[in-house]
Amino acid sequence: MSRPLLAEFETPEALVRALRLARADGHRAIDAFTPFAIEELSAAFDPPRLPVRPIMALAGFGSAAAMYALQWYSAVHAYPLNSGGRPLHSWPVFLLVPFEVGVLCAAIAGLAAMLRACGLPRLHHPLFAMPRFERASQDRFFLLVAPHGEPDPLRRTLEEAGARLVSEVHA
């Protein structure tokens, strides 16, 4: 698999033109780095759907069901104690602990899933070592593109669109 290419541009128009040309050729735009917001870029990058909510629901409901089953087993089968003629399976009494444990496990799973989906904790990103990348917050515009196949046609496309520097990102 080819490494992604990082292209540096002087103007936002050149960045948008390069993005359109790269996507027209079948390459996948990963991200753009600009010192200010550009309207044309917001529609170009579709945010990925993160699985945080399903993971939280699965962890919350699963742990709540497990706690309810644990209480039911211990009260009905393992240590049945008839207190005051009440039924052994007194479900209203069993609801507090599963609710609390379900909320706790959902919160912990949500935090872990969010950190995993965002790629955190990551103390250093390979883009930080790229030449002149610190200018992305000052006066330059950068486009990170994953080539479809060989990187040479993409490199030529980016240079024709006005890229001052095109370099491979080493992971």
Short mmCIF file of all heavy atoms in Angstrom, two decimals, residues 83-130:
data_model
loop_
_atom_site.label_atom_id
_atom_site.label_comp_id
_atom_site.label_asym_id
_atom_site.label_seq_id
_atom_site.Cartn_x
_atom_site.Cartn_y
_atom_site.Cartn_z
N SER A 83 -38.38 -14.07 53.05
CA SER A 83 -38.45 -13.08 54.12
C SER A 83 -39.85 -12.45 54.10
O SER A 83 -40.18 -11.68 53.21
CB SER A 83 -37.38 -12.01 53.88
OG SER A 83 -37.59 -10.93 54.74
N GLY A 84 -40.65 -12.77 55.09
CA GLY A 84 -41.97 -12.16 55.21
C GLY A 84 -42.96 -12.61 54.17
O GLY A 84 -43.89 -11.88 53.87
N GLY A 85 -42.76 -13.76 53.56
CA GLY A 85 -43.70 -14.26 52.57
C GLY A 85 -43.58 -13.60 51.21
O GLY A 85 -44.44 -13.76 50.35
N ARG A 86 -42.53 -12.84 50.98
CA ARG A 86 -42.34 -12.21 49.67
C ARG A 86 -41.84 -13.25 48.68
O ARG A 86 -41.18 -14.22 49.05
CB ARG A 86 -41.31 -11.08 49.78
CG ARG A 86 -41.85 -9.91 50.57
CD ARG A 86 -40.88 -8.73 50.48
NE ARG A 86 -41.05 -7.95 51.69
CZ ARG A 86 -40.14 -7.74 52.59
NH1 ARG A 86 -38.93 -8.22 52.43
NH2 ARG A 86 -40.40 -7.04 53.66
N PRO A 87 -42.09 -13.02 47.38
CA PRO A 87 -41.59 -13.96 46.39
C PRO A 87 -40.06 -13.90 46.30
O PRO A 87 -39.44 -12.86 46.58
CB PRO A 87 -42.23 -13.51 45.09
CG PRO A 87 -42.61 -12.09 45.30
CD PRO A 87 -42.87 -11.95 46.77
N LEU A 88 -39.46 -15.01 45.90
CA LEU A 88 -37.99 -15.04 45.77
C LEU A 88 -37.52 -14.11 44.65
O LEU A 88 -36.50 -13.46 44.75
CB LEU A 88 -37.52 -16.47 45.52
CG LEU A 88 -37.77 -17.45 46.68
CD1 LEU A 88 -37.30 -18.84 46.29
CD2 LEU A 88 -37.06 -16.98 47.92
N HIS A 89 -38.28 -14.10 43.57
CA HIS A 89 -37.93 -13.23 42.44
C HIS A 89 -38.71 -11.93 42.57
O HIS A 89 -39.73 -11.70 41.93
CB HIS A 89 -38.22 -13.92 41.10
CG HIS A 89 -37.81 -13.09 39.93
ND1 HIS A 89 -38.50 -13.11 38.76
CD2 HIS A 89 -36.81 -12.20 39.76
CE1 HIS A 89 -37.93 -12.26 37.90
NE2 HIS A 89 -36.90 -11.71 38.49
N SER A 90 -38.20 -11.04 43.39
CA SER A 90 -38.83 -9.74 43.61
C SER A 90 -38.13 -8.72 42.72
O SER A 90 -37.18 -8.04 43.13
CB SER A 90 -38.70 -9.36 45.08
OG SER A 90 -39.32 -8.13 45.30
N TRP A 91 -38.59 -8.61 41.49
CA TRP A 91 -37.88 -7.82 40.48
C TRP A 91 -37.76 -6.33 40.81
O TRP A 91 -36.75 -5.72 40.42
CB TRP A 91 -38.48 -8.03 39.10
CG TRP A 91 -39.88 -7.51 38.94
CD1 TRP A 91 -41.04 -8.18 39.15
CD2 TRP A 91 -40.25 -6.19 38.55
NE1 TRP A 91 -42.11 -7.37 38.93
CE2 TRP A 91 -41.64 -6.13 38.53
CE3 TRP A 91 -39.53 -5.04 38.21
CZ2 TRP A 91 -42.35 -5.00 38.21
CZ3 TRP A 91 -40.23 -3.91 37.87
CH2 TRP A 91 -41.63 -3.89 37.87
N PRO A 92 -38.69 -5.66 41.46
CA PRO A 92 -38.46 -4.24 41.73
C PRO A 92 -37.23 -3.99 42.62
O PRO A 92 -36.55 -2.97 42.48
CB PRO A 92 -39.74 -3.78 42.44
CG PRO A 92 -40.78 -4.73 41.99
CD PRO A 92 -40.07 -6.04 41.84
N VAL A 93 -36.93 -4.92 43.50
CA VAL A 93 -35.77 -4.76 44.36
C VAL A 93 -34.48 -4.94 43.57
O VAL A 93 -33.45 -4.35 43.89
CB VAL A 93 -35.84 -5.79 45.52
CG1 VAL A 93 -34.62 -5.71 46.40
CG2 VAL A 93 -37.10 -5.57 46.31
N PHE A 94 -34.54 -5.72 42.49
CA PHE A 94 -33.35 -6.03 41.71
C PHE A 94 -32.98 -4.95 40.69
O PHE A 94 -31.96 -5.07 40.03
CB PHE A 94 -33.54 -7.33 40.94
CG PHE A 94 -33.69 -8.55 41.79
CD1 PHE A 94 -34.12 -9.73 41.23
CD2 PHE A 94 -33.40 -8.54 43.14
CE1 PHE A 94 -34.26 -10.88 42.01
CE2 PHE A 94 -33.54 -9.67 43.92
CZ PHE A 94 -33.97 -10.83 43.35
N LEU A 95 -33.75 -3.89 40.53
CA LEU A 95 -33.52 -2.94 39.45
C LEU A 95 -32.46 -1.87 39.74
O LEU A 95 -31.84 -1.36 38.82
CB LEU A 95 -34.82 -2.24 39.07
CG LEU A 95 -35.85 -3.12 38.38
CD1 LEU A 95 -37.06 -2.29 38.00
CD2 LEU A 95 -35.27 -3.80 37.18
N LEU A 96 -32.23 -1.54 40.98
CA LEU A 96 -31.31 -0.45 41.29
C LEU A 96 -29.87 -0.78 40.90
O LEU A 96 -29.20 0.03 40.23
CB LEU A 96 -31.39 -0.11 42.79
CG LEU A 96 -30.50 1.06 43.22
CD1 LEU A 96 -30.92 2.32 42.51
CD2 LEU A 96 -30.54 1.24 44.71
N VAL A 97 -29.38 -1.91 41.30
CA VAL A 97 -27.97 -2.27 41.02
C VAL A 97 -27.73 -2.42 39.51
O VAL A 97 -26.73 -1.89 38.99
CB VAL A 97 -27.57 -3.53 41.80
CG1 VAL A 97 -26.19 -4.00 41.39
CG2 VAL A 97 -27.60 -3.25 43.29
N PRO A 98 -28.58 -3.12 38.75
CA PRO A 98 -28.33 -3.18 37.30
C PRO A 98 -28.34 -1.82 36.62
O PRO A 98 -27.55 -1.57 35.72
CB PRO A 98 -29.48 -4.04 36.78
CG PRO A 98 -29.87 -4.87 37.92
CD PRO A 98 -29.66 -4.02 39.13
N PHE A 99 -29.22 -0.93 37.07
CA PHE A 99 -29.23 0.42 36.48
C PHE A 99 -27.91 1.14 36.73
O PHE A 99 -27.32 1.70 35.80
CB PHE A 99 -30.40 1.23 37.05
CG PHE A 99 -30.40 2.64 36.58
CD1 PHE A 99 -30.82 2.96 35.30
CD2 PHE A 99 -29.96 3.67 37.41
CE1 PHE A 99 -30.81 4.27 34.85
CE2 PHE A 99 -29.94 4.97 36.98
CZ PHE A 99 -30.37 5.28 35.70
N GLU A 100 -27.46 1.14 37.96
CA GLU A 100 -26.23 1.85 38.30
C GLU A 100 -25.01 1.25 37.58
O GLU A 100 -24.17 1.97 37.05
CB GLU A 100 -26.00 1.84 39.81
CG GLU A 100 -27.03 2.62 40.59
CD GLU A 100 -26.96 4.10 40.33
OE1 GLU A 100 -25.87 4.60 39.97
OE2 GLU A 100 -27.99 4.76 40.46
N VAL A 101 -24.92 -0.07 37.57
CA VAL A 101 -23.79 -0.72 36.92
C VAL A 101 -23.86 -0.52 35.41
O VAL A 101 -22.84 -0.33 34.74
CB VAL A 101 -23.73 -2.22 37.29
CG1 VAL A 101 -22.71 -2.96 36.47
CG2 VAL A 101 -23.42 -2.36 38.77
N GLY A 102 -25.08 -0.54 34.85
CA GLY A 102 -25.23 -0.30 33.41
C GLY A 102 -24.78 1.09 33.01
O GLY A 102 -24.09 1.27 32.00
N VAL A 103 -25.14 2.10 33.79
CA VAL A 103 -24.71 3.46 33.50
C VAL A 103 -23.19 3.58 33.62
O VAL A 103 -22.53 4.20 32.78
CB VAL A 103 -25.43 4.47 34.43
CG1 VAL A 103 -24.81 5.85 34.33
CG2 VAL A 103 -26.90 4.52 34.10
N LEU A 104 -22.63 2.99 34.66
CA LEU A 104 -21.18 3.05 34.85
C LEU A 104 -20.44 2.37 33.70
O LEU A 104 -19.49 2.93 33.14
CB LEU A 104 -20.80 2.39 36.19
CG LEU A 104 -19.29 2.29 36.47
CD1 LEU A 104 -18.71 3.68 36.66
CD2 LEU A 104 -19.04 1.43 37.68
N CYS A 105 -20.85 1.17 33.33
CA CYS A 105 -20.18 0.45 32.25
C CYS A 105 -20.37 1.15 30.90
O CYS A 105 -19.45 1.17 30.08
CB CYS A 105 -20.68 -0.98 32.18
SG CYS A 105 -20.11 -1.99 33.55
N ALA A 106 -21.53 1.74 30.66
CA ALA A 106 -21.75 2.48 29.42
C ALA A 106 -20.83 3.70 29.35
O ALA A 106 -20.26 4.00 28.29
CB ALA A 106 -23.20 2.90 29.30
N ALA A 107 -20.66 4.39 30.46
CA ALA A 107 -19.78 5.55 30.47
C ALA A 107 -18.33 5.16 30.25
O ALA A 107 -17.61 5.81 29.47
CB ALA A 107 -19.93 6.30 31.79
N ILE A 108 -17.89 4.09 30.89
CA ILE A 108 -16.50 3.64 30.71
C ILE A 108 -16.28 3.16 29.28
O ILE A 108 -15.26 3.48 28.65
CB ILE A 108 -16.15 2.55 31.75
CG1 ILE A 108 -16.12 3.17 33.14
CG2 ILE A 108 -14.83 1.89 31.42
CD1 ILE A 108 -16.00 2.16 34.26
N ALA A 109 -17.22 2.39 28.75
CA ALA A 109 -17.09 1.91 27.37
C ALA A 109 -17.14 3.06 26.38
O ALA A 109 -16.43 3.05 25.37
CB ALA A 109 -18.19 0.90 27.07
N GLY A 110 -17.97 4.07 26.64
CA GLY A 110 -18.04 5.23 25.75
C GLY A 110 -16.74 6.01 25.74
O GLY A 110 -16.28 6.45 24.68
N LEU A 111 -16.13 6.18 26.90
CA LEU A 111 -14.85 6.87 26.97
C LEU A 111 -13.78 6.09 26.22
O LEU A 111 -13.01 6.66 25.43
CB LEU A 111 -14.44 7.08 28.42
CG LEU A 111 -13.07 7.74 28.63
CD1 LEU A 111 -13.09 9.17 28.14
CD2 LEU A 111 -12.68 7.67 30.09
N ALA A 112 -13.73 4.78 26.44
CA ALA A 112 -12.73 3.95 25.75
C ALA A 112 -12.95 3.95 24.24
O ALA A 112 -12.00 4.05 23.46
CB ALA A 112 -12.76 2.54 26.31
N ALA A 113 -14.21 3.85 23.80
CA ALA A 113 -14.50 3.85 22.37
C ALA A 113 -14.19 5.19 21.73
O ALA A 113 -13.69 5.25 20.60
CB ALA A 113 -15.97 3.48 22.15
N MET A 114 -14.47 6.28 22.43
CA MET A 114 -14.16 7.60 21.89
C MET A 114 -12.65 7.81 21.76
O MET A 114 -12.18 8.31 20.74
CB MET A 114 -14.76 8.69 22.79
CG MET A 114 -14.62 10.08 22.24
SD MET A 114 -13.46 11.22 23.01
CE MET A 114 -13.20 10.72 24.63
N LEU A 115 -11.90 7.40 22.77
CA LEU A 115 -10.44 7.52 22.68
C LEU A 115 -9.89 6.66 21.55
O LEU A 115 -9.00 7.09 20.81
CB LEU A 115 -9.80 7.12 24.01
CG LEU A 115 -10.01 8.09 25.17
CD1 LEU A 115 -9.43 7.51 26.46
CD2 LEU A 115 -9.40 9.43 24.87
N ARG A 116 -10.41 5.46 21.39
CA ARG A 116 -9.96 4.56 20.32
C ARG A 116 -10.32 5.12 18.95
O ARG A 116 -9.51 5.09 18.02
CB ARG A 116 -10.58 3.18 20.52
CG ARG A 116 -10.31 2.21 19.42
CD ARG A 116 -8.91 1.66 19.53
NE ARG A 116 -8.73 0.64 18.54
CZ ARG A 116 -7.77 0.66 17.63
NH1 ARG A 116 -6.87 1.61 17.65
NH2 ARG A 116 -7.66 -0.30 16.75
N ALA A 117 -11.53 5.64 18.79
CA ALA A 117 -11.97 6.18 17.50
C ALA A 117 -11.18 7.42 17.11
O ALA A 117 -10.95 7.67 15.93
CB ALA A 117 -13.46 6.49 17.55
N CYS A 118 -10.77 8.21 18.09
CA CYS A 118 -10.00 9.42 17.81
C CYS A 118 -8.50 9.16 17.70
O CYS A 118 -7.74 10.07 17.41
CB CYS A 118 -10.26 10.45 18.90
SG CYS A 118 -11.94 11.06 18.90
N GLY A 119 -8.09 7.94 17.96
CA GLY A 119 -6.66 7.62 17.88
C GLY A 119 -5.86 8.14 19.06
O GLY A 119 -4.67 8.40 18.92
N LEU A 120 -6.51 8.30 20.18
CA LEU A 120 -5.84 8.83 21.36
C LEU A 120 -5.54 7.73 22.35
O LEU A 120 -6.19 6.70 22.32
CB LEU A 120 -6.72 9.89 22.02
CG LEU A 120 -6.97 11.12 21.17
CD1 LEU A 120 -7.97 12.02 21.86
CD2 LEU A 120 -5.69 11.87 20.90
N PRO A 121 -4.64 7.83 23.24
CA PRO A 121 -3.68 8.91 23.36
C PRO A 121 -2.52 8.72 22.39
O PRO A 121 -1.94 7.64 22.30
CB PRO A 121 -3.20 8.78 24.80
CG PRO A 121 -3.36 7.35 25.13
CD PRO A 121 -4.53 6.86 24.32
N ARG A 122 -2.22 9.74 21.64
CA ARG A 122 -1.12 9.72 20.68
C ARG A 122 -0.30 10.97 20.93
O ARG A 122 -0.77 12.08 20.71
CB ARG A 122 -1.67 9.70 19.27
CG ARG A 122 -0.60 9.51 18.24
CD ARG A 122 -1.21 9.35 16.87
NE ARG A 122 -0.22 8.81 15.97
CZ ARG A 122 -0.49 8.43 14.76
NH1 ARG A 122 -1.72 8.51 14.32
NH2 ARG A 122 0.45 7.96 13.98
N LEU A 123 0.91 10.78 21.37
CA LEU A 123 1.73 11.92 21.75
C LEU A 123 2.42 12.57 20.57
O LEU A 123 2.79 13.74 20.62
CB LEU A 123 2.78 11.48 22.79
CG LEU A 123 2.19 10.91 24.08
CD1 LEU A 123 3.30 10.46 25.00
CD2 LEU A 123 1.30 11.92 24.75
N HIS A 124 2.61 11.82 19.47
CA HIS A 124 3.29 12.37 18.31
C HIS A 124 2.64 11.83 17.05
O HIS A 124 2.39 10.63 16.93
CB HIS A 124 4.78 12.00 18.32
CG HIS A 124 5.51 12.54 17.14
ND1 HIS A 124 5.84 13.87 17.02
CD2 HIS A 124 5.95 11.94 16.01
CE1 HIS A 124 6.47 14.05 15.86
NE2 HIS A 124 6.55 12.90 15.25
N HIS A 125 2.34 12.71 16.11
CA HIS A 125 1.77 12.31 14.83
C HIS A 125 2.84 12.46 13.77
O HIS A 125 3.63 13.42 13.81
CB HIS A 125 0.55 13.18 14.51
CG HIS A 125 -0.28 12.61 13.42
ND1 HIS A 125 0.02 12.77 12.09
CD2 HIS A 125 -1.39 11.85 13.46
CE1 HIS A 125 -0.87 12.16 11.35
NE2 HIS A 125 -1.74 11.58 12.16
N PRO A 126 2.91 11.56 12.77
CA PRO A 126 3.94 11.68 11.74
C PRO A 126 3.89 13.00 10.96
O PRO A 126 4.91 13.43 10.42
CB PRO A 126 3.67 10.49 10.81
CG PRO A 126 2.90 9.53 11.62
CD PRO A 126 2.15 10.32 12.64
N LEU A 127 2.74 13.64 10.90
CA LEU A 127 2.66 14.92 10.18
C LEU A 127 3.49 16.01 10.85
O LEU A 127 3.95 16.94 10.20
CB LEU A 127 1.21 15.38 10.07
CG LEU A 127 0.34 14.64 9.08
CD1 LEU A 127 -1.07 15.16 9.14
CD2 LEU A 127 0.90 14.77 7.68
N PHE A 128 3.68 15.91 12.16
CA PHE A 128 4.44 16.94 12.87
C PHE A 128 5.90 16.96 12.45
O PHE A 128 6.58 17.96 12.64
CB PHE A 128 4.34 16.74 14.38
CG PHE A 128 2.94 16.83 14.91
CD1 PHE A 128 2.60 16.18 16.07
CD2 PHE A 128 1.96 17.55 14.25
CE1 PHE A 128 1.31 16.26 16.58
CE2 PHE A 128 0.67 17.63 14.74
CZ PHE A 128 0.35 16.99 15.91
N ALA A 129 6.40 15.87 11.89
CA ALA A 129 7.78 15.80 11.46
C ALA A 129 7.96 16.21 9.99
O ALA A 129 9.08 16.25 9.49
CB ALA A 129 8.32 14.38 11.65
N MET A 130 6.87 16.53 9.32
CA MET A 130 6.95 16.91 7.91
C MET A 130 7.56 18.31 7.78
O MET A 130 7.32 19.18 8.62
CB MET A 130 5.57 16.87 7.25
CG MET A 130 4.93 15.50 7.25
SD MET A 130 5.93 14.25 6.44
CE MET A 130 5.89 14.82 4.77
#
